[in-house]
Amino acid sequence: MSATPVEVLPVTRRVPRLPRWLRRALFWGSGAALGYVLVGGWLAWMFLHPPRERGHGTPADYDLAYEPVSLKTADGVRLAAWYVPSPGARAGIVVCHGYGASRRFVTGLLPFLHRAGFAVISFDFRGQGESGGRYCSFGECEKEDVR
């Protein structure tokens, strides 16, 4: 009698799978989280980089003499501006535009201020209109533009 060798098979353990409902919840939840991050990032980028609206009009459209000037901020950003002098001006006013606009959007205010005897400077904030700069910081850097 001869002994036959016994073949030993490796024991395979079955890894327990997650329940189907949990796999689906993880799949759709991670997809929603990724979408949330992507949409949030896109919205943040769009708010920080508004389209550069050029607007229309200049002080000359209102028969006002003006000088295009270039201002430079403390951090070196070039700002495009107009200086509208007024003979015998009692004071000067700096006219600022709103978010996503430019100095061309506020040209309608210039005749009233000029007639009232004010010299006026109207400029484009950084990252908007014809000024330098790459983004809008919602006041963090723009406060330096007004200085």
Side-chain angles (χ1 to χ4, degrees):
M1 193 151 156
S2 73
T4 55
V6 177
E7 186 177 333
V8 177
L9 298 173
V11 177
T12 57
R13 285 192 175 171
R14 186 174 167 175
V15 177
R17 292 183 67 174
L18 295 174
R20 186 176 187 182
W21 66 269
L22 185 55
R23 288 192 316 258
R24 285 184 177 177
L26 289 173
F27 175 78
W28 292 109
S30 61
L34 179 64
Y36 180 77
V37 168
L38 290 176
V39 169
W42 176 76
L43 284 173
W45 191 90
M46 290 300 291
F47 278 116
L48 293 175
H49 300 86
R52 289 185 184 246
E53 298 292 336
R54 300 289 186 215
H56 57 282
T58 66
D61 296 341
Y62 297 96
D63 297 323
L64 296 175
Y66 73 100
E67 300 172 31
V69 293
S70 180
L71 309 173
K72 196 166 199 170
T73 63
D75 58 351
V77 177
R78 186 195 62 80
L79 303 177
W82 293 322
Y83 172 63
V84 182
S86 178
R90 296 178 288 165
I93 293 184
V94 177
V95 178
C96 303
H97 61 79
Y99 170 77
S102 74
R103 65 186 176 202
R104 296 180 182 271
F105 284 85
V106 295
T107 54
L109 298 173
L110 301 179
F112 303 109
L113 297 171
H114 187 266
R115 277 184 294 218
F118 295 105
V120 179
I121 289 186
S122 181
F123 70 98
D124 290 334
F125 280 108
R126 65 181 64 219
Q128 299 185 35
E130 297 171 10
S131 290
R134 295 186 312 176
Y135 62 91
C136 170
S137 66
F138 291 97
E140 184 64 31
C141 297
E142 285 79 5
K143 64 186 174 193
E144 300 300 323
D145 296 349
V146 181
R147 256 183 215 205

